Amino acid sequence: MLNQDWTGSRKLCYGSKAMNSIYDVLRRPILTEKSSHQYAKLNQFVFEVADEASKSMIKEAVETIFDVKVLRVNTMVMPAKRSRRAQSRRVLVRRSAYKKAIVTLAPGDTISVFEGVR
């Protein structure tokens, strides 16, 4: 659903949540050993998504951008973590929290971002 705010710009509105475009929902793919096993064996793909994105917004974004059929979307919020610098043990570094989505696709569908070099 498109809405216009007082500045005249168009935004995607889902209830009280507003984003500028469908491309704001998905931030980046997460490529780890576990996620590579998931897309190879289970047909699941992992993305970092916007904190305010809902499951229906994520499903719509993946289906529109990659032209695939999404069966299921699981989301989780990964907590912030603290660690120390290697040289100075006193300096604490904090990684911010982020939201992660595991998207299960229909059999036969795939996303080329995760495929690698062929």
Side-chain angles (χ1 to χ4, degrees):
M1 181 164 111
L2 290 173
N3 224 0
Q4 288 191 351
D5 61 0
W6 61 274
T7 60
S9 66
R10 299 172 69 178
K11 294 185 177 190
L12 290 171
C13 292
Y14 298 90
S16 63
K17 302 170 186 171
M19 293 189 192
N20 291 332
S21 73
I22 200 163
Y23 297 99
D24 293 337
V25 175
L26 300 178
R27 293 211 175 131
R28 67 181 179 97
I30 297 178
L31 302 172
T32 61
E33 287 184 34
K34 184 174 182 178
S35 68
S36 65
H37 169 74
Q38 285 178 316
Y39 75 75
K41 304 284 188 211
L42 305 173
N43 209 23
Q44 295 177 338
F45 297 87
V46 184
F47 293 96
E48 180 180 338
V49 296
D51 293 336
E52 59 273 357
S54 65
K55 289 183 180 185
S56 60
M57 293 167 66
I58 296 167
K59 179 179 178 179
E60 182 182 342
V62 171
E63 286 180 345
T64 304
I65 294 170
F66 298 109
D67 194 31
V68 293
K69 175 72 173 137
V70 175
L71 297 180
R72 184 175 60 213
V73 176
N74 296 3
T75 59
M76 59 194 79
V77 176
M78 304 306 292
K81 295 184 178 180
R82 293 191 307 176
S83 63
R84 298 182 188 273
R85 291 274 185 208
Q87 293 177 352
S88 171
R89 300 297 289 174
R90 294 183 182 187
V91 177
L92 287 176
V93 178
R94 183 178 179 273
R95 283 189 295 180
S96 58
Y98 63 95
K99 189 171 187 177
K100 179 166 78 169
I102 301 173
V103 179
T104 304
L105 300 183
D109 284 343
T110 185
I111 297 176
S112 61
V113 173
F114 291 88
E115 290 301 317
V117 179
R118 291 196 180 238

